[in-house]
Structure formats: C-alpha cells, structure tokens
Amino acid sequence: MKKAQTRISIVMDEIQNKITSRVYLPSTKLPSVRAQARMLSVSVSTVVEAYERLMAEGIIISRPGSGFYVSGPISPLALTQMGPKLDREVDPLWVSRQALDTNTATLKPGCGWLPATWLYETGMRKALRSMSRNESLELVEYATSLGHPELRQLLSRRLNSHRIDVDPNQIMLTESGTQAIDLICRFFLAPGDTVIVDDPCYFNFHALLKAHRVNIVSVPYTVNGPDLEIFKTVLDEYTPRLYITNSAIHNPTGATLSPVTAHRLLKLIDHTNLIIVEDDIFADFELTAAPRLASFDGLNRVIQIGSFSKTISASVRCGYIAARTDWVEDLVDLKIATSFGGGRFAAELILHVLKDSGYRKHMEVVRTRLANEMVKTAAKLEALGIKPWITPQAGMFLWCKLPQGLDAGHIAQACLKHGVVLAPGNAFSQSLTAKDFLRFNVAQSTDDHIFEVLAEVIAQHIN
Amino acid sequence: MKKAQTRISIVMDEIQNKITSRVYLPSTKLPSVRAQARMLSVSVSTVVEAYERLMAEGIIISRPGSGFYVSGPISPLALTQMGPKLDREVDPLWVSRQALDTNTATLKPGCGWLPATWLYETGMRKALRSMSRNESLELVEYATSLGHPELRQLLSRRLNSHRIDVDPNQIMLTESGTQAIDLICRFFLAPGDTVIVDDPCYFNFHALLKAHRVNIVSVPYTVNGPDLEIFKTVLDEYTPRLYITNSAIHNPTGATLSPVTAHRLLKLIDHTNLIIVEDDIFADFELTAAPRLASFDGLNRVIQIGSFSKTISASVRCGYIAARTDWVEDLVDLKIATSFGGGRFAAELILHVLKDSGYRKHMEVVRTRLANEMVKTAAKLEALGIKPWITPQAGMFLWCKLPQGLDAGHIAQACLKHGVVLAPGNAFSQSLTAKDFLRFNVAQSTDDHIFEVLAEVIAQHIN
C-alpha cells in the first residue's frame, strides 16, 4: 500500500512539474490514462488515482466524454510568477508600481523622472492653448501609419545633429519609448531567444523581456560602456539576438560610452546576427554629446529609439523608432496590428513644444539645475558614507554604494515606512550583484528629510 | 553523379523547409554535419555539399570554430509574410494602411470611423482650453498604474448602466482599445493556441492575432450572434482559449446579439476554459441597449474592453479593460512592462469631454444623423443592385452584397483608382467566404461621387 502511495505521488509530481514548466499548457488536454501509464511505466490504476487527486486539488479538470484537461484559465503571463522569486524591494514591477502609485506627498529619490515642477509646463500650457485653436483633424483623427510627418522631419534633423544619417521615412512614431522597444522585441524575438542587457540596466528592461519569455543575459557595464571581454563570451556562448542599452547617459550608472568601446563593440558583432537597440531617451540632458552606436554603425545593425517623457512630459505619450527602411515597413504593420494607428494629438503637442524657442532655454536651465543638484546630493550622500560609483557628466542619476556592505533592499524597505521611495541596486541587476547599491535621482533628492531618514535607517542597520 | 545531386537537393529542401517553418529559428545553430547526416540518413559529404550551397545562397552562415547558423536577422514577425498569401485588397494590414494613409481628399466609404467633422470637436477644444489651466501633474506626470481614478469611476458607472457590476478597481485604462485586446492576448495566449473570431469580424482582429502566432478559427455570425452549432463544434475540436467579439453593434455586419443567443453561448462555454473578450467600442451609438455578455456572465469568464476613438477622438488614445480583479492585477504588470505607466493626459481629456453635458447632446445628434444617412446610403446602394444584408438597428456600418457575384476585391481595386477607398468583404472574413460583400460606413458615404464611381466600376465589371 505504501509503495502504491509513493507511485501516485510521483505521477502527481510529474504532472505538476509539466504544468509549471508549461510542457502541459493551461486548458490543454492531458494524455489519456492509458497513454500516461505507458509513458510513466506505472499501472493504469495509479494514473487514475493520481488524476483524481489532481482533480480534487483543482489542478486538472475532467470533461465528460472528452478527457482530462489542465485547469485554466491560469494566466500564462503572470510576470510576477515567472523566473526566480525576487524580494519585493528589488522586483522591477514592484519598484515601478511604488514610483507610479505612491501619492505625490511621498519623497521619491528612487524614481526615474524629473519632478513635475521641473518639466516644461509653461510650454505645455502654451501648446495646449494653441492646439485648442488647431484644425479639427489634429484633434480627432488617427495618425498616418508612420506618424506625424513634421515631427518625423524634426526628429530626423535632431538625429542628424548626432551624425545619424536618417531619412524621415526611417522614423516611425510610437506611443512611448517602452512601446518602441516592445515592438522591436516582438519583431525580432521568439520565446527562448537570448537578449543581452547591461548589468546594471534600466529595470523595466527586465520586466519587458520577461513578457517576451526570452533568456536574459547581462554584461557588466564599465565606466566606458559594456565589458567587451564578457560581451564576447556571451556572443559566443548564446548567439543572442538583441542587445538593449542606453546611449548618451547610462541608466542607472550615469556612465558614458567611449568612442573606443563603441568602435570595438561594433567590430565584435560584425560577424554575428546581433542587433543593437540604443535607447536615447536622455539625449537632451547631455552637456557634450557622447558617441552614438547608431552613428558609428549608420543604422545598419543598430536601431535607435527615444521619447520625450524625461524632458517634456510623461503624461503625453510619444516615442519613436529610427531603423533601416525594410525593418520600418514591417514594424509599421506590427504597430497597426497591436495598437492600430496611434493618435495625432500627442505628436502634434510634442511638435508644438519642440518648435517653441522656449524649450531650448528651458533645457539649459534644467541641465544647470541638475549639475548643481548633482554636486549637492553627492555631498549629502558622502556625508552618510554613501559613495557615488562615478561622477556622471550629466543627467539625473547617481549610482551609489552603501557603506559596510549594507543591504539596499533592507534600507529601501525601512525608508519606505518613512515615506521615502528608494531604488535598490538589485532591481537593476540581472545577476543580482548590486545588493549594496542604490540609484539616486538628484532632481528628486532636494528635500533634506530624505537624508535625515536615510541617516536614521542606516544607523539602525549598522548597529 | 545524378543521384548525389538529387540527394543534395533533398537535404537543401529539408533544411529550407525547417527554416521557413521556424523549426530552425533565425540565428540558431544547425545540427553538425555529422548529426545532420545521421538524421537524414545521407552521407557526410552530401550534407557538407548541401551546407556549402546553402551558404552560397546566403541562407546559412558558418562561424569558424563554432558551426553553421541560420542566417539572420530574418524578421520573425513580418506579418505580411505570415499565413496564406492574400490579395492586397483584402489584406487586413493593407486595408488599414489605405484608410490611415490616403490623404483626406480621398473618399473613404470603407473606413471604420466617423469623419472628423462628425466628432465632438467643440468639446475637445473646450477641454483643451480648460486643461491648459490645469495643475501641472495632469500635464507632465505618468498616470498611476491602473490609470486615472476619476475616469475609472465614471466608466464603472457607465458599465453599471449596462448592468455590468464592476468596481473601479476592476478597470484598467490602456492606450487604446487595440492595446486592451493586445494585452489580454499577451496574458492568455501562447503561440499555437486557438482563438475564435466572428466571420466576418473587424479585420484588425486577424492582424492582431497573427502577431500572437495563434491559430485563428472563425464562426459564422448570424443576425442574432454567432452560429452556436458551429461554435460548439469548434469548442469540441480545438479547445480554444479566447473568443473575441463585438457587443452592441457588430462590426462589420451591424447585427445585434440576441438575449437568447447570449444565454446559450454562455451555457455552451460553461464547462470549457474559454474566455470571451467583448469589444464594446460602439456602445454610445446604440438606440436601445443590446445584451452584454459581460452583464449575463458577471465578468467571470467575460472581459470587456472599450475606447473612445469612435465617439470622442481617435487622435487622443485611451481605452480600458474591465475584468476580474485577479486578472487586472496581472494585466497591470504586463502594461507596465510593455508600455510603462501610460499618461495622465489622454484620460484627463476624455474625462473632461465625458463630463461635459454637451457630449450627450452631441451623441444624440450623431445617432440621428447616422440613422438618416443609413436610410439614404441603403437607397443609393440598392439603386446599384448592392443589397444590405440586414438593416442595422444603429451604428455606421452597412454590410452589403454585390450584384451578380461580383468580386469585391476587384471592385475595390478599380474604385481606388478613382480615389474611393472601399472595404471588401474578405478582409473581414477568415474563411474568405465574403468575396461578394462590401462594408459601407454611412457617415463616410455622403458624397454622391462615391456612387457615380461605383456605378461606373460595376458597369465595367458586369460587362
């Protein structure tokens, strides 16, 4: 009797494992009792008993006259249930939700955008008043499939200024920078493909890639760009399809790609099929322009994406993809299929703001303010023993190491109770090797209360 | 020698087929020469020669010291290259692009939206002026993860009025109605799953589902809803995961689901794992409310989605998903991962318009205009021997049969040369059984030139 019990458990475990690993998909039919018995080399009665117990547990269901099915609907893409279980504090989705959902009274030195008061609100108001007098098409019609022609022309000129030779017809507007990357992933990736990201990198890349069910491999980011030796090893070992990275100012480290690393990286991928997605979202924060992979490569193997959420408004959604003409054609189809045409409104509004001479002046002020806050924040952090990894040339991020190997997840958890949202390092690190790092947004760190809370929490954790 | 040649060709074909059918994915490693020879029961030298010829053709590449790889990057999701080759005129993506990209001077009785002048432009202008005085958060910040709380409250009340009992926290805002369906597909579907659509149905459902690499099965739509006998056969045969359909006014037929069909359909799926996605995008066009599956079912197995692109503006993108609380949780994660937070702006603008008392009056006028144009358009079409399948209770669509078995694709092609964009039946029909049908949008059919062109083209094709 005991042996029979064990055999039943083994069969149950076997089936459970296949459901968990999606060998048996939700709602699909299980092998018949007879076939299962044969496959597992057990008796029919063992399988009958195992199926019955799995039914009692609600794991499978029986459909009279048809057979046994995996219970459903189990969501195949519950992102939180995919991959290794992460502590909540370093789970990219949890970090995003904290930043998005906590009320505005909360202090958010961990969030990835400028405070509302730093953005170009005056320009937005002016653009809105002007648009309320616009012709009706802009207000109510779908956009053309590539998106607003005049905004694409302006973007093409902006990219030209970074020595990226691109025709307006090679630019497709998207609903956001994230949607731009998502469309590229849909285009190039199939489940199981390998994608390279920087370690550390913008945490939502991890969540996005999870949604595409791909294998994520990370390469350490150095002060000059990705570690090329490790990059080469990964290339050889995994035949990756995509490498997603930031240009201009790297998120979260604030580092800048050097021309030499850019050149060597492109040489490295020369005889491979790797495509690089260069996220240029921080372009307007630069004081001096860093090299762009898209410029070195000439938009052959590199695709550039960007958006206006960090400089103009995160409320009005608009991004873009600049790529080879043949790819853009297929990307347009994918955009239509998955989000239809896109709207004219956001693009028109962004265009109004970009054309406004005030925008350039506004960004000059923002850059100066950021530089000032960078110095001030670094000083306040150093006073607490928190050391910036580098002093970034520009931008809003300081990637900092905690004193004495403190766990950033624990510190973040404790600070949250005091109304301070931090961004712990391992949320950015696929290899989970940034346990003692935090990313600070200097524009969101102007309130001294943040440092009082930090000091108190650190003191508690050191003792 | 000849025999060896044949064997080499067979091996080449075998490999080519595996690449086409994605058994060998782009950029992946091929089996070694030795392994391939074993598998195909041919000599090593045959495989060596086959690999070399495939290399010469650029189909595979060799990486020294590593082996042979499928050439890439071949785009795995070039939608136009997937599935059976369709005539351009009935290719959903081509139809969408025609409607989106042809200039505004073109006449578009085939497009799926109201003319700009019919939309609530005054309301939009008023909302914009008001928003230009709004507090800055609405203008520049990300939305919370579920989306604008006040708009979700308003939507919950609107759904309640259709007897759908839904809490604001069961509603998640999206960037558009299409994105809403796309997120649901990402959530429930894996490549190879089966999805049911109506035949005919909104053509972009075909394109969207193609992007998810699923098996599309269509069920004929009758004047009362889906043909339930065929629906049952499909349920039994394919164990489908989703059924995507329109509520209120069916696109393209203008038919209305009957309460009896709604009841029987839900009974039919009772012991299955099928989930129904009810696209309620035409709700505000109804004169009397049709039954909603979401109402009968109580949002248990039914998910409702909607947007404002047909009534307020297609330029300002905003849609929603109403679903079970546990599903909404996971859908929020997917939304953050693939499009980050979404913006506040569009939702705020839509809220302004919906709260405006003028909107209700505006929609009354639209409904009356549509009813008038419906009668007029039907008369003009009947004069040409083009017969509406039914007289819809409301909405903008007339699903019409051409005289004498004329091919709608040919008619559409000929009319396009005269600047008239039509929507041929087979673009809506997965089974390609609507060859002699056209969908007319009565709001886009007010110009008599359309009927002059049609008369001329029909006369040419009959003779």
Side-chain angles (χ1 to χ4, degrees):
Chain A
M1 193 57 201
K2 212 152 176 212
K3 260 195 185 160
Q5 287 299 339
T6 318
R7 277 199 299 272
I8 294 166
S9 303
I10 291 172
V11 173
M12 288 174 70
D13 284 352
E14 182 69 26
I15 294 167
Q16 284 240 26
N17 284 343
K18 283 192 175 155
I19 293 172
T20 312
S21 61
R22 288 180 58 78
V23 174
Y24 294 160
L25 288 167
S27 306
T28 53
K29 200 173 170 173
L30 288 173
S32 70
V33 168
R34 220 161 274 281
Q36 190 73 270
R38 217 164 29 235
M39 285 194 297
L40 301 177
S41 305
V42 295
S43 70
V44 166
S45 63
T46 302
V47 175
V48 167
E49 183 62 27
Y51 276 19
E52 256 168 33
R53 292 196 195 167
L54 288 168
M55 272 209 290
E57 291 181 22
I59 292 161
I60 68 173
I61 55 164
S62 144
R63 282 174 53 199
S66 173
F68 296 90
Y69 288 79
V70 178
S71 282
I74 296 164
S75 61
L77 258 181
L79 295 180
T80 45
Q81 281 157 44
M82 290 171 74
K85 184 90 194 106
L86 295 170
D87 285 339
R88 214 176 54 160
E89 297 74 44
V90 297
D91 177 342
L93 287 164
W94 193 81
V95 174
S96 296
R97 283 197 185 204
Q98 278 308 305
L100 293 171
D101 289 341
T102 50
N103 70 56
T104 48
T106 315
L107 296 166
K108 302 183 190 177
C111 94
W113 50 89
L114 297 179
T117 52
W118 283 54
L119 290 167
Y120 192 38
E121 206 189 301
T122 356
M124 286 283 292
R125 288 184 203 286
K126 203 169 138 193
L128 284 176
R129 281 193 305 271
S130 156
M131 282 190 71
S132 75
R133 296 182 299 265
N134 254 31
E135 60 165 323
S136 59
L137 283 179
E138 310 300 343
L139 303 184
V140 296
E141 276 261 4
Y142 287 106
T144 54
S145 57
L146 278 175
H148 202 301
E150 209 181 332
L151 181 56
R152 288 187 291 111
Q153 268 156 23
L154 188 147
L155 282 171
S156 141
R157 289 194 299 274
R158 271 164 61 110
L159 291 172
N160 290 345
S161 77
H162 284 132
R163 296 169 198 276
I164 300 167
D165 183 21
V166 59
D167 186 86
N169 285 328
Q170 289 180 265
I171 298 174
M172 178 179 89
L173 300 185
T174 62
E175 310 269 14
S176 65
T178 310
Q179 196 214 14
I181 303 179
D182 185 48
L183 284 170
I184 294 165
C185 287
R186 293 180 105 132
F187 185 47
F188 287 109
L189 301 178
D193 282 349
T194 295
V195 177
I196 302 181
V197 294
D198 297 319
D199 197 342
C201 73
Y202 170 43
F203 50 75
N204 203 49
F205 291 165
H206 298 143
L208 174 63
L209 290 170
K210 247 182 169 182
H212 286 274
R213 310 177 207 200
V214 294
N215 178 31
I216 312 169
V217 178
S218 65
V219 169
Y221 207 78
T222 75
V223 290
N224 297 317
D227 182 317
L228 292 179
E229 270 188 49
I230 298 178
F231 204 99
K232 188 173 175 345
T233 320
V234 171
L235 274 182
D236 292 342
E237 198 166 331
Y238 297 95
T239 328
R241 294 282 291 156
L242 291 183
Y243 166 44
I244 306 179
T245 188
N246 285 128
S247 50
I249 303 157
H250 183 254
N251 181 4
T253 64
T256 304
L257 183 71
S258 78
V260 172
T261 308
H263 165 73
R264 290 192 183 158
L265 174 65
L266 289 169
K267 264 201 76 158
L268 209 56
I269 67 160
D270 214 16
H271 294 289
T272 71
N273 289 316
L274 186 83
I275 291 152
I276 299 182
V277 182
E278 183 175 58
D279 177 357
D280 201 22
I281 200 167
F282 298 107
D284 282 359
F285 291 108
E286 281 183 308
L287 300 175
T288 47
R292 298 299 198 272
L293 292 166
S295 152
F296 278 48
D297 168 71
L299 279 187
N300 178 34
R301 309 284 295 281
V302 177
I303 299 177
Q304 197 181 76
I305 72 110
S307 90
F308 312 93
S309 58
K310 304 296 178 192
T311 48
I312 297 177
S313 166
S315 180
V316 175
R317 307 300 281 156
C318 186
Y320 68 86
I321 295 175
R324 268 165 43 177
T325 318
D326 54 335
W327 291 346
V328 167
E329 262 304 293
D330 289 327
L331 285 165
V332 165
D333 282 343
L334 268 179
K335 183 175 80 162
I336 293 176
T338 60
S339 66
F340 208 61
R344 292 184 182 224
F345 189 87
E348 176 75 15
L349 188 58
I350 296 296
L351 180 69
H352 267 261
V353 175
L354 288 175
K355 278 166 68 182
D356 175 353
S357 62
Y359 175 68
R360 188 180 292 266
K361 283 175 219 143
H362 163 76
M363 281 311 298
E364 270 167 35
V365 173
V366 167
R367 285 189 290 264
T368 311
R369 276 181 88 176
L370 280 174
N372 288 336
E373 293 304 332
M374 183 81 81
V375 174
K376 281 194 222 161
T377 307
K380 288 180 202 165
L381 289 169
E382 301 223 31
L384 300 173
I386 303 174
K387 291 204 168 43
W389 181 63
I390 54 163
T391 304
Q393 290 177 14
M396 62 182 100
F397 297 130
L398 270 178
W399 181 241
C400 301
K401 192 165 182 165
L402 282 166
Q404 301 185 28
L406 283 175
D407 184 313
H410 297 161
I411 300 291
Q413 207 169 1
C415 284
L416 190 59
K417 288 186 193 133
H418 294 84
V420 175
V421 177
L422 295 176
N426 274 350
F428 304 84
S429 171
Q430 172 70 9
S431 64
L432 300 176
T433 50
K435 189 169 82 70
D436 47 356
F437 277 85
L438 283 168
R439 184 192 71 181
F440 283 89
N441 177 343
V442 300
Q444 300 271 9
S445 302
T446 55
D447 190 322
D448 279 338
H449 185 59
I450 293 168
F451 302 92
E452 289 160 23
V453 167
L454 259 174
E456 195 187 316
V457 166
I458 288 175
Q460 279 163 6
H461 279 75
I462 282 177
N463 301 328
Chain B
M1 191 61 199
K2 214 155 174 209
K3 257 196 187 158
Q5 287 299 339
T6 318
R7 276 198 300 272
I8 293 165
S9 304
I10 291 172
V11 172
M12 288 174 69
D13 285 352
E14 181 70 27
I15 293 167
Q16 284 241 25
N17 285 342
K18 283 192 176 154
I19 293 172
T20 314
S21 60
R22 290 179 57 79
V23 174
Y24 294 160
L25 289 168
S27 306
T28 53
K29 199 173 174 175
L30 288 173
S32 70
V33 168
R34 221 162 274 281
Q36 190 72 269
R38 217 166 28 236
M39 283 194 300
L40 300 177
S41 306
V42 294
S43 70
V44 166
S45 63
T46 302
V47 175
V48 166
E49 183 62 28
Y51 275 20
E52 258 168 31
R53 293 195 196 168
L54 288 169
M55 272 207 290
E57 292 180 23
I59 292 160
I60 67 173
I61 54 166
S62 142
R63 282 174 52 200
S66 173
F68 296 90
Y69 288 79
V70 179
S71 281
I74 296 164
S75 61
L77 259 181
L79 294 182
T80 45
Q81 281 157 43
M82 290 171 75
K85 182 90 194 108
L86 294 171
D87 286 338
R88 213 176 54 159
E89 299 73 45
V90 297
D91 178 341
L93 287 164
W94 194 82
V95 174
S96 296
R97 284 196 185 204
Q98 279 308 306
L100 292 171
D101 288 343
T102 50
N103 70 55
T104 48
T106 315
L107 296 166
K108 302 183 191 177
C111 94
W113 51 88
L114 296 180
T117 51
W118 284 53
L119 290 168
Y120 191 40
E121 206 189 302
T122 358
M124 285 283 292
R125 290 184 202 287
K126 203 169 137 194
L128 285 176
R129 283 193 303 272
S130 154
M131 282 190 70
S132 74
R133 297 183 298 266
N134 254 31
E135 60 164 323
S136 60
L137 284 179
E138 311 298 345
L139 303 185
V140 296
E141 275 262 4
Y142 287 106
T144 54
S145 58
L146 277 175
H148 202 301
E150 208 181 332
L151 180 56
R152 288 188 288 110
Q153 266 155 23
L154 188 146
L155 282 171
S156 139
R157 289 194 299 274
R158 271 163 61 110
L159 291 171
N160 290 345
S161 76
H162 284 133
R163 296 170 198 276
I164 301 166
D165 184 22
V166 58
D167 186 87
N169 285 327
Q170 288 179 267
I171 298 175
M172 177 179 90
L173 299 186
T174 62
E175 310 269 15
S176 65
T178 309
Q179 197 214 14
I181 303 179
D182 185 49
L183 284 170
I184 294 166
C185 286
R186 293 180 106 132
F187 185 47
F188 287 110
L189 301 178
D193 283 349
T194 295
V195 176
I196 302 180
V197 295
D198 297 319
D199 197 342
C201 72
Y202 170 44
F203 51 75
N204 203 50
F205 290 164
H206 297 143
L208 174 63
L209 290 170
K210 246 182 168 182
H212 286 275
R213 311 177 206 200
V214 294
N215 178 32
I216 311 172
V217 177
S218 65
V219 169
Y221 206 77
T222 76
V223 290
N224 296 317
D227 182 316
L228 293 179
E229 270 187 49
I230 299 178
F231 204 99
K232 187 173 177 345
T233 319
V234 172
L235 274 182
D236 292 341
E237 198 166 332
Y238 297 95
T239 329
R241 293 283 289 156
L242 291 184
Y243 166 45
I244 304 180
T245 189
N246 284 129
S247 49
I249 302 157
H250 183 255
N251 181 3
T253 64
T256 303
L257 183 70
S258 78
V260 172
T261 308
H263 165 72
R264 290 192 185 158
L265 174 66
L266 289 168
K267 264 202 78 160
L268 209 57
I269 68 161
D270 214 15
H271 294 289
T272 72
N273 290 316
L274 186 83
I275 290 153
I276 299 181
V277 182
E278 183 175 58
D279 177 357
D280 201 22
I281 199 167
F282 297 108
D284 282 358
F285 292 108
E286 281 183 308
L287 301 174
T288 48
R292 298 300 199 272
L293 291 165
S295 149
F296 278 48
D297 168 71
L299 279 188
N300 177 35
R301 308 284 296 281
V302 178
I303 299 178
Q304 198 182 75
I305 71 109
S307 88
F308 312 94
S309 59
K310 304 296 178 192
T311 48
I312 297 177
S313 167
S315 180
V316 175
R317 308 299 281 157
C318 185
Y320 68 87
I321 295 174
R324 268 167 42 179
T325 318
D326 53 337
W327 291 345
V328 168
E329 263 303 294
D330 289 328
L331 285 165
V332 165
D333 282 344
L334 267 179
K335 183 176 80 161
I336 293 176
T338 60
S339 67
F340 207 63
R344 292 184 183 223
F345 188 87
E348 176 75 15
L349 187 57
I350 296 295
L351 180 69
H352 268 261
V353 174
L354 289 175
K355 277 165 70 181
D356 176 353
S357 62
Y359 175 67
R360 186 181 291 265
K361 281 175 220 145
H362 163 74
M363 281 312 297
E364 270 167 34
V365 173
V366 167
R367 285 188 292 263
T368 310
R369 277 180 88 174
L370 281 174
N372 288 336
E373 293 304 332
M374 183 79 82
V375 173
K376 280 194 222 163
T377 307
K380 289 180 203 167
L381 289 169
E382 300 224 28
L384 300 173
I386 303 174
K387 292 206 168 42
W389 181 62
I390 55 163
T391 305
Q393 289 178 13
M396 60 182 102
F397 297 131
L398 269 178
W399 180 241
C400 300
K401 192 163 182 169
L402 282 166
Q404 301 184 30
L406 283 175
D407 185 314
H410 298 161
I411 301 290
Q413 208 170 0
C415 284
L416 190 58
K417 287 184 193 134
H418 294 85
V420 175
V421 177
L422 294 176
N426 273 350
F428 304 85
S429 170
Q430 172 71 9
S431 64
L432 299 176
T433 50
K435 188 169 84 68
D436 48 356
F437 276 85
L438 283 167
R439 185 193 70 181
F440 283 89
N441 177 343
V442 301
Q444 299 272 9
S445 302
T446 54
D447 190 322
D448 279 337
H449 186 57
I450 293 167
F451 301 93
E452 289 160 23
V453 168
L454 259 175
E456 195 186 316
V457 166
I458 287 176
Q460 279 162 6
H461 278 76
I462 283 179
N463 299 328

